[in-house]
Amino acid sequence: MADPLTGIANWLENLLLGWGLAEGFVTFLLAVLGVLILVVFLLVIDIILVWVERKVVARFQDRLGPNRLGPFGLIQPVADIIKLMIKEDITPIGADKLLYNLAPPFAMAAVLLIWAVIPLSSSVLGADINVGVLYIVAVGSIGTLAIILAGWASNNKYSLLGAFRTVAQMISYEVPMVIVLLVPVLLANSMGISDIVNSQGVWNIFIIPLGAIILLITAIAEIGRTPFDLLEAESEIVAGFHIEYTGMKFGLFYAAELLHALTVGALFATLFLGGWRGPYADQFPILGVFYLFLKAFIIYYVIMWIKYTLPRIRIDHMLNFNWKILTPVALTLLIVTAVTDKLIEGVSPVLYVAIMLIINVVIAWVIVTILRNYTKSERKRVGEERPVAQPPMETPISGLD
Amino acid sequence: MTAVQIIFIVVAAVTLGAAIMVVTTRKLLHAAIWLILTLFGVAIFYVLLNAGFLAVAQVVIYIGAIAILMIFAIMLTRQLAIDIGPQVNRGWPWALLISLLLFGSLIWLFSNWSGVSTELPTLSSRVDPLRELGVSLVSPNAYVIPFELVSVLLLAALIGSIIVAWPRKENED
Amino acid sequence: MIPLSWYLIFAAALFCIGLYGVLARKNAIAILMGIELMLNAVNINLVAFWRYRAPDMIAGQAWAVMVFAVAAAEVAVGLALFISIYRTRKTIAADEINLMKW
């Protein structure tokens, strides 16, 4: 069955070659066209994400959400965008104009660049590089750069403080994320993402569920969502590094954050849920795209679920959690997976999956036990008798009775 | 002029221009931004040289960690928010002279060597450079010992920098 | 198409620009930036020689990886030193930190 996307690409290529253009130029033109189509598609999905976000948060909070504009409030995101665009564009005095204007596009670019290596179907892939996983880490660090530029260029002490804390959190959580990203690489024997997807006969989430959980936690910390969102919540240092941004520049930060959440969903789906794989995805590649986005939206829903259920974590608890719990667990998982994978080579697939699953459960149980004992000892230590303040003695007021 | 040559010249011009801005600009933070642009240009050169892993590692290590560390250090070590005074010390004409002399002598050295105009050899497609690199870094008759030594060096740097930058406990009074 | 000489000239130029930065700048962090430029120039040299003269031997790329690691370690320790110096001397201009014990 002819793949519609490849068919259209071939027809366009023949058309352009027929017009007499050079071959290298035609390849370049088609690449630019592919990039444009993908970016426009993602930005349109970003608009839909605004609506999804507001409806879902409303339902979690037992209310209806926007329902005035259009059926089910579907025109609401358009109204939001128009509002952002007609707002006054204020640049604070003393702000470094170049960096101030450069930061929002950088933040958006850091998210869009990740989609270059995610295979959308068996035949649609932006760039088939053999170091795809490392590329994703590299591009994530560009987002960190955008935040610190935004914090500095706003000429605002609190914005700078917020940017410092954001960057500290993001680079701390990169460490367990990179370690956990190595586990699917280990199982697939290659860093290229299309190889990882092709090797998932059994989805990776059944083989290394602990790795999936750690990736979800670290990715939520990377994108700055609750419970890790003290960087940008309104009650914490007045909204963090994007205090001084108004209008469409703030809109870019906001849109980049939503799209980043969906990108994390797509990444998780690609590495752990089999990506575009599903029934009949080989014969009809367009189904591959549908499956990928279905899985990505399910993970996005889980991320939103976590966001609107859990309270915020304090920054010292957050960094403690990262360095004392997540990093050792990720390292242990990597080492145990590597050793087990080598030891049970050549075993039937069902037994392989069962053994890896059991090992993951064992590690998780050990960690939970350690944490439980630690919490018990902490509670005992904190719950000691401490002198409590006494109210002042009742003195009768003379003259009144 | 093939497309690759045009790309090379454009990227080289941008990278060298950004490098000159790094060493001449007055505002230190702008120098850090130009440094990021230079490092990015160098990463593009790694891609042109078929060293894809090094290109991505360059972005992760240099731009994602070292440049951000430098920006942090710049922000933490300034008393005023603006840079005042000249940013070059008294001997800068001598520095310029030494750099130009060194550049001239390097060019003269290259022109005397016959191998300088080697053309690009084709890589054999059987061998995957990434896999070769990985195997060579852990194989006992390749470079596992330098690899382990470098990891010990990184550990020493990690512990050393934490201890050096630890705030001193002032005398309790 | 692109002979080896282009890469070597580019690396030499980058090295000399970094050298000027190291010798002429006052601020210690600017000197560190110059050192980074020089290390990058050396890396480009290594990888260009690997690609053009000995693509079968992986030594060129392995050496470049070692240079990455050494540069990262050096920047970390250097910046820690600068922060420590700034705490006591309140300055990191290289020509003002010229007495061993103040």
Side-chain angles (χ1 to χ4, degrees):
Chain A
M1 179 70 169
D3 169 23
L5 294 162
T6 322
I8 296 179
N10 283 338
W11 169 80
L12 206 59
E13 184 177 358
N14 290 332
L15 183 67
L16 286 172
L17 280 175
W19 286 352
L21 296 169
E23 171 135 14
F25 190 60
V26 166
T27 324
F28 173 69
L29 214 56
L30 283 178
V32 168
L33 200 61
V35 165
L36 274 175
I37 294 177
L38 182 64
V39 166
V40 167
F41 180 55
L42 286 172
L43 292 177
V44 167
I45 288 192
D46 201 0
I47 299 177
I48 299 177
L49 282 180
V50 175
W51 175 79
V52 168
E53 178 96 19
R54 292 182 65 161
K55 271 297 198 187
V56 167
V57 61
R59 295 303 168 126
F60 270 119
Q61 294 170 350
D62 205 17
R63 53 187 174 91
L64 283 179
N67 57 359
R68 282 188 182 270
L69 299 173
F72 297 109
L74 278 170
I75 316 287
Q76 181 70 36
V78 180
D80 275 343
I81 293 174
I82 295 178
K83 175 195 83 167
L84 281 174
M85 282 210 258
I86 61 180
K87 274 200 177 197
E88 182 186 356
D89 203 18
I90 310 173
T91 309
I93 300 179
D96 203 331
K97 283 216 174 34
L98 177 69
L99 298 179
Y100 184 78
N101 291 327
L102 206 58
F106 261 28
M108 194 55 152
V111 176
L112 288 174
L113 279 175
I114 298 182
W115 284 92
V117 292
I118 295 185
L120 298 177
S121 82
S122 54
S123 59
V124 178
L125 176 57
D128 194 5
I129 52 179
N130 61 347
V131 285
V133 170
L134 203 55
Y135 170 88
I136 290 178
V137 177
V139 164
S141 45
I142 297 183
T144 319
L145 193 66
I147 292 175
I148 202 160
L149 288 182
W152 170 263
S154 305
N155 197 22
N156 184 334
K157 272 197 278 287
Y158 300 107
S159 172
L160 191 60
L161 270 182
F164 273 175
R165 298 205 316 187
T166 310
V167 170
Q169 175 187 308
M170 286 175 93
I171 57 180
S172 306
Y173 274 87
E174 258 177 35
V175 173
M177 187 160 104
V178 171
I179 298 176
V180 151
L181 279 177
L182 280 179
V183 181
V185 168
L186 199 67
L187 293 178
N189 279 332
S190 160
M191 267 204 265
I193 298 201
S194 53
D195 289 333
I196 294 180
V197 172
N198 287 337
S199 79
Q200 285 187 50
V202 176
W203 289 358
N204 272 341
I205 195 171
F206 297 122
I207 306 181
I208 22 171
L210 193 60
I213 295 174
I214 297 178
L215 181 65
L216 200 61
I217 297 175
T218 52
I220 293 180
E222 282 283 316
I223 59 184
R225 288 209 149 208
T226 328
F228 303 104
D229 77 340
L230 89 169
L231 322 161
E232 53 168 34
E234 286 84 21
S235 54
E236 308 273 349
I237 310 196
V238 203
F241 64 90
H242 50 65
I243 308 170
E244 298 280 355
Y245 281 90
T246 59
M248 208 52 206
K249 292 195 204 116
F250 171 75
L252 261 183
F253 272 125
Y254 184 63
E257 183 196 327
L258 286 179
L259 195 57
H260 204 170
L262 184 69
T263 311
V264 158
L267 194 64
F268 187 92
T270 311
L271 292 174
F272 284 96
L273 292 180
W276 50 259
R277 293 175 80 109
Y280 300 115
D282 292 326
Q283 292 109 325
F284 304 101
I286 203 82
L287 270 184
V289 179
F290 173 68
Y291 286 141
L292 176 68
F293 275 97
L294 182 67
K295 294 174 195 172
F297 268 100
I298 291 177
I299 302 296
Y300 181 67
Y301 179 76
V302 170
I303 293 179
M304 274 198 290
W305 193 357
I306 298 176
K307 170 171 177 159
Y308 293 117
T309 321
L310 294 179
R312 202 169 292 144
I313 298 185
R314 224 169 59 191
I315 185 140
D316 56 335
H317 289 165
M318 186 164 47
L319 293 175
N320 254 358
F321 178 61
N322 175 46
W323 291 111
K324 294 190 185 166
I325 299 174
L326 276 185
T327 311
V329 169
L331 275 173
T332 319
L333 184 69
L334 181 66
I335 296 176
V336 167
T337 310
V339 168
T340 320
D341 190 53
K342 201 68 184 163
L343 283 178
I344 61 178
E345 230 172 347
V347 157
S348 80
V350 174
L351 198 56
Y352 179 84
V353 171
I355 293 180
M356 297 290 272
L357 203 58
I358 292 173
I359 291 200
N360 267 269
V361 168
V362 163
I363 297 179
W365 179 79
V366 165
I367 291 160
V368 169
T369 317
I370 293 179
L371 281 178
R372 198 183 305 158
N373 290 340
Y374 174 70
T375 320
K376 259 193 228 160
S377 65
E378 275 287 306
R379 281 216 190 103
K380 213 184 302 182
R381 184 180 67 83
V382 169
E384 289 160 355
E385 280 295 318
R386 277 183 302 186
V388 177
Q390 300 286 339
M393 299 265 295
E394 293 279 335
T395 46
I397 303 175
S398 60
L400 292 173
D401 215 343
Chain B
M1 274 289 192
T2 62
V4 187
Q5 286 183 334
I6 298 179
I7 293 177
F8 182 95
I9 293 181
V10 167
V11 175
V14 167
T15 311
L16 288 178
I20 293 180
M21 290 302 290
V22 170
V23 297
T24 54
T25 183
R26 285 179 68 120
K27 300 191 192 170
L28 202 55
L29 201 73
H30 284 192
I33 306 298
W34 289 118
L35 182 70
I36 291 175
L37 187 60
T38 315
L39 297 171
F40 215 74
V42 171
I44 298 182
F45 276 119
Y46 287 138
V47 173
L48 281 176
L49 285 168
N50 290 113
F53 173 72
L54 284 179
V56 188
Q58 162 99 353
V59 177
V60 173
I61 297 175
Y62 271 101
I63 300 180
I66 291 183
I68 292 186
L69 194 59
M70 280 196 185
I71 293 179
F72 264 90
I74 292 173
M75 290 182 193
L76 289 175
T77 56
R78 47 178 36 205
Q79 290 194 297
L80 304 167
I82 49 172
D83 305 280
I84 49 171
Q87 288 296 317
V88 289
N89 55 28
R90 277 180 313 145
W92 72 268
W94 292 109
L96 192 59
L97 187 66
I98 293 176
S99 314
L100 289 174
L101 273 178
L102 183 64
F103 186 61
S105 32
L106 281 172
I107 300 294
W108 177 79
L109 208 69
F110 293 150
S111 60
N112 279 352
W113 178 49
S114 65
V116 80
S117 50
T118 330
E119 290 296 331
L120 200 66
T122 47
L123 284 177
S124 69
S125 52
R126 299 178 294 111
V127 167
D128 183 13
L130 182 63
R131 187 167 285 269
E132 285 279 307
L133 182 64
V135 167
S136 78
L137 283 178
V138 292
S139 115
N141 34 341
Y143 305 111
V144 69
I145 293 186
F147 185 60
E148 298 295 334
L149 284 178
V150 157
S151 56
V152 173
L153 172 74
L154 283 172
L155 181 67
L158 173 69
I159 299 178
S161 56
I162 291 177
I163 293 186
V164 164
W166 199 265
R168 285 254 199 84
K169 285 264 187 301
E170 297 299 329
N171 293 330
E172 315 282 342
D173 50 322
Chain C
M1 282 188 303
I2 300 183
L4 179 59
S5 55
W6 287 26
Y7 283 106
L8 297 185
I9 296 175
F10 168 76
L14 197 60
F15 189 85
C16 294
I17 295 174
L19 186 64
Y20 172 74
V22 168
L23 294 176
R25 297 275 272 177
K26 254 200 315 193
N27 195 315
I29 300 186
I31 297 179
L32 204 60
M33 288 189 204
I35 297 180
E36 287 308 308
L37 288 178
M38 291 203 281
L39 283 167
N40 270 287
V42 164
N43 250 347
I44 289 270
N45 233 354
L46 282 172
V47 178
F49 270 111
W50 164 76
R51 178 71 178 88
Y52 277 78
R53 303 285 291 182
D56 309 318
M57 294 174 44
I58 203 68
Q61 277 205 21
W63 191 353
V65 170
M66 304 296 163
V67 173
F68 272 161
V70 167
E74 160 216 342
V75 164
V77 176
L79 289 173
L81 280 171
F82 294 157
I83 292 181
S84 179
I85 290 177
Y86 180 78
R87 276 208 198 106
T88 48
R89 307 289 178 97
K90 292 288 181 271
T91 176
I92 50 171
D95 48 0
E96 293 176 20
I97 317 176
N98 53 2
L99 295 178
M100 288 291 277
K101 193 170 168 65
W102 182 247

